[in-house]
């Protein structure tokens, strides 16, 4: 199903002309209304008339997360305060959130993008959407909520937590769609088992999971445990929230709604643009956002773009699942390690559960990597020799994929702390010694 046939199936030549026109309008608008961007463009010797098309995109300056903090709270706004109807934000290391402003037009755009996204996931007006994303400053809950209402679906705004109650509501109200983080979906499935039931016994059929990177192996694990079609949704507060892209039922990449969000892939180290198919850092320009438009925002997310049309009929580029974040990447003995790489290795091995933690420490001057892995009840009940063999295999697989030696500690089921939001995968203790 497609929500907006005109734009979602637009021939690429027409789409690129639309993008170019909107890019020119955007640059002219931020130059005249946002002092931060006017200074950034002038520093590069650029004026609005110098940006004529998509070929000029790489001449524009990047925007990074610290720019939001440096211009806190509303220094990046392109509209007067009286036109702002909503404030969202994400947590910040200084205690101040990264604030994002929305006009009424932005809220309408957000609802429309989420209507596109949910329709791509197969959601219709006949569905009951159990929304277990957090509400509040975090954009996840309200974004999904408004999109579901836009298409006429029934929404249960349960938010995160109260997991047993979540299961009761799914059973009693006949929920058909679950929206939450992938790690929380697994926790819900695990809790259902503890209650003597299963999500397979509910009417849930589709799961829309995002807000944290998750691997194909994690998808397979979720689908096996829940019976849901598990689809990835992507967005971030600085751009608009969820609704930037989503997978359709083909699970062949996330469709980016390019008529509103112009994506690029750049080399994380140099910032140089990379071609289609190359893996690098995702950069997004908001072509139509009203209150707080953003030029070339460096998301920190690692992915690639595929311009081939999808079997569903959509012609906009598809982004690969996020394989990690530049700020989640840890460097151990000179080797780049992403949690999602470790996850993909672990979930290939029978008896291993999708719950793990990576602990990085420093012994004198040498980095030490240890991976704690939950195993199934059956595996944990095995003889010591079999557990030792499982540890050895996991050490070997990690070395084969990452090129690094790691210690593996097998732990009993449910011993790694669960999260109702984003899972904490990495504990880096080296900072203790460096401070």
């Amino acid at each position: 199903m497609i929500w907006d046939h005109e734009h979602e199936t637009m021939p690429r030549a027409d789409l690129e002309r639309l993008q170019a026109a909107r890019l020119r309008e955007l640059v002219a608008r931020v130059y005249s209304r946002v002092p931060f961007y006017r200074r950034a463009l002038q520093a590069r010797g650029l004026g609005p008339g110098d940006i004529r098309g998509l070929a000029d995109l790489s001449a524009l300056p990047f925007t990074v997360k610290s720019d939001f903090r440096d211009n806190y709270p509303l220094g990046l706004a392109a509209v007067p305060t009286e036109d702002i109807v909503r404030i969202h934000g994400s947590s910040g290391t200084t205690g101040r959130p990264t604030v994002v402003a929305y006009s009424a037009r932005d809220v309408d755009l957000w609802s429309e993008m989420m209507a596109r996204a949910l329709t791509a996931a197969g959601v219709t007006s006949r569905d009951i959407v159990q929304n277990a994303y957090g509400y509040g400053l975090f954009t996840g809950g309200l974004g999904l909520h408004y999109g579901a209402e836009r298409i006429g679906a029934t929404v249960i705004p349960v938010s995160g937590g109260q997991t047993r109650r979540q299961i009761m509501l799914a059973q009693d109200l006949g929920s058909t769609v679950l929206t939450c983080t992938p790690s929380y979906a697994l926790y819900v499935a695990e809790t259902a088992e503890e209650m003597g039931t299963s999500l397979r016994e509910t009417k849930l059929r589709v799961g829309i999971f995002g807000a944290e990177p998750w691997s194909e192996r994690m998808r397979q694990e979720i689908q096996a445990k829940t019976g849901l079609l598990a689809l990835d949704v992507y967005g971030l507060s600085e751009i608009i929230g969820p609704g930037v892209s989503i997978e359709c039922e083909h699970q062949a990449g996330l469709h980016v709604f390019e008529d509103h969000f112009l994506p690029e892939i750049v080399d994380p180290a140099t910032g140089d643009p990379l071609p289609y198919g190359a893996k690098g850092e995702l950069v997004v320009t908001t072509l139509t956002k009203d209150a707080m438009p953003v030029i070339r925002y460096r998301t920190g997310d690692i992915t690639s773009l595929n311009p081939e049309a999808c079997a569903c009929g959509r012609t906009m580029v598809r982004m690969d699942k996020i394989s990690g974040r530049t700020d989640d990447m840890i460097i151990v003995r000179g080797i780049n390690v992403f949690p999602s790489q470790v996850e993909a290795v672990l979930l290939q091995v029978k008896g291993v559960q999708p719950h793990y933690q990576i602990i990085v420490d420093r012994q004198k001057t040498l980095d030490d990597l240890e991976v704690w892995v939950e195993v199934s009840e059956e595996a944990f009940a095995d003889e010591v020799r079999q557990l030792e063999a499982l540890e050895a295999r996991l050490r070997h697989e990690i070395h084969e994929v990452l090129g690094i030696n790691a210690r593996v500690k097998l732990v009993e089921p449910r011993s790694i702390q669960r999260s109702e939001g984003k899972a904490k995968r990495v504990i880096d203790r080296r900072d203790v010694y460096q401070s």
Side-chain angles (χ1 to χ4, degrees):
M1 297 184 296
I2 296 176
W3 177 258
D4 180 351
H5 277 272
E6 178 187 356
H7 292 99
E8 293 182 70
T9 63
M10 183 178 283
R12 287 212 62 82
D14 293 343
L15 174 62
E16 289 172 3
R17 280 192 289 273
L18 177 63
Q19 289 174 323
R22 288 179 169 177
L23 180 64
R24 289 192 294 271
E25 292 168 4
L26 169 68
V27 172
R29 187 157 59 92
V30 298
Y31 189 91
S32 65
R33 298 186 182 182
V34 185
F36 166 80
Y37 280 121
R38 183 163 55 250
R39 291 192 299 269
L41 288 164
Q42 288 174 342
R44 291 190 166 213
L46 295 173
D50 295 315
I51 305 302
R52 294 177 291 275
L54 299 182
D56 300 317
L57 181 62
S58 60
L60 293 170
F62 289 117
T63 308
V64 295
K65 196 176 189 78
S66 61
D67 293 327
F68 282 81
R69 295 182 180 134
D70 293 344
N71 290 277
Y72 177 89
L74 297 173
L76 295 182
V79 299
T81 306
E82 56 266 30
D83 289 345
I84 294 172
V85 301
R86 175 82 60 75
I87 297 288
H88 278 288
S90 58
S91 60
T93 55
T94 64
R96 289 178 171 175
T98 299
V99 168
V100 184
Y102 293 71
S103 68
R105 285 176 54 193
D106 291 328
V107 173
D108 186 67
L109 170 65
W110 193 13
S111 301
E112 187 71 9
M113 294 305 96
M114 277 311 310
R116 283 190 192 182
L118 289 166
T119 301
V123 182
T124 73
S125 59
R126 296 184 296 275
D127 278 298
I128 298 175
V129 179
Q130 184 159 326
N131 190 9
Y133 282 109
Y135 283 68
L137 273 181
F138 173 63
T139 54
L142 283 169
L144 268 296
H145 185 115
Y146 285 128
E149 287 189 339
R150 176 66 62 95
I151 66 176
T154 301
V155 185
I156 307 172
V158 66
S159 194
Q162 303 184 69
T163 307
R164 288 177 176 263
R165 186 172 179 233
Q166 298 264 9
I167 295 161
M168 179 192 74
L169 289 173
Q171 293 169 330
D172 296 347
L173 298 176
S175 306
T176 57
V177 180
L178 176 64
T179 62
C180 61
T181 62
S183 54
Y184 187 57
L186 283 171
Y187 183 46
V188 174
E190 190 176 80
T191 303
E193 290 176 9
E194 292 173 358
M195 295 170 62
T197 184
S198 167
L199 294 187
R200 289 180 173 275
E201 297 177 14
T202 69
K203 293 182 180 179
L204 288 168
R205 59 180 184 83
V206 177
I208 300 173
F209 306 129
E212 61 188 19
W214 52 302
S215 65
E216 283 297 327
R217 290 285 178 179
M218 175 75 92
R219 188 209 301 275
Q220 292 166 17
E221 191 75 21
I222 291 173
Q223 293 186 155
K225 287 182 177 292
T226 66
L228 297 172
L229 177 69
L231 301 177
D232 199 353
V233 65
Y234 177 79
L236 58 168
S237 299
E238 295 83 357
I239 300 303
I240 200 166
V244 174
S245 66
I246 195 169
E247 290 179 312
C248 67
E249 61 184 352
H250 295 284
Q251 297 177 323
L254 290 82
H255 297 277
V256 182
F257 300 129
E258 289 184 273
D259 50 333
H260 297 280
F261 311 111
L262 181 58
E264 306 170 71
I265 299 294
V266 304
D267 184 309
T270 66
D272 294 336
L274 296 175
Y276 285 133
K279 184 166 284 193
E281 182 181 357
L282 177 66
V283 172
V284 181
T285 297
T286 62
L287 293 175
T288 58
K289 198 172 177 193
D290 187 34
M292 200 171 276
V294 182
I295 289 179
R296 301 193 79 201
Y297 182 71
R298 296 190 67 155
T299 68
D301 292 319
I302 304 299
T303 185
S304 62
L305 297 177
N306 176 5
E308 304 270 330
C310 181
C312 71
R314 291 176 178 82
T315 54
M316 295 181 178
V317 297
R318 287 169 284 154
M319 55 183 273
D320 197 10
K321 285 177 72 64
I322 300 298
S323 60
R325 287 186 51 79
T326 55
D327 53 3
D328 279 348
M329 182 184 76
I330 51 177
I331 301 176
V332 182
R333 299 172 217 156
I335 296 175
N336 297 343
V337 177
F338 289 100
S340 55
Q341 291 176 298
V342 177
E343 177 182 293
V345 172
L346 298 178
L347 295 184
Q348 292 179 31
V349 179
K350 184 179 179 182
V352 171
Q353 297 293 295
H355 303 288
Y356 64 95
Q357 213 153 46
I358 301 166
I359 299 171
V360 190
D361 212 331
R362 179 161 291 154
Q363 303 297 332
K364 295 184 179 178
T365 59
L366 185 65
D367 290 339
D368 179 69
L369 182 69
E370 183 173 58
V371 182
W372 290 22
V373 189
E374 280 191 21
V375 294
S376 64
E377 299 275 6
E378 298 78 12
F380 201 75
D382 285 343
E383 295 178 359
V384 172
R385 184 179 302 172
Q386 290 172 298
L387 289 173
E388 289 174 345
L390 179 57
E391 278 187 3
R393 182 181 174 191
L394 290 170
R395 285 197 303 272
H396 172 76
E397 296 291 343
I398 291 171
H399 184 267
E400 285 292 301
V401 172
L402 302 182
I404 192 169
N405 290 315
R407 290 183 293 114
V408 173
K409 180 179 179 179
L410 302 182
V411 299
E412 61 185 313
R414 299 175 179 80
S415 59
I416 292 176
Q417 185 175 357
R418 303 299 192 255
S419 171
E420 294 174 351
K422 298 183 181 183
K424 183 172 177 58
R425 300 297 193 192
V426 179
I427 298 174
D428 193 339
R429 294 174 176 162
R430 292 174 297 182
D431 293 340
V432 174
Y433 302 103
Q434 293 170 349
S435 60

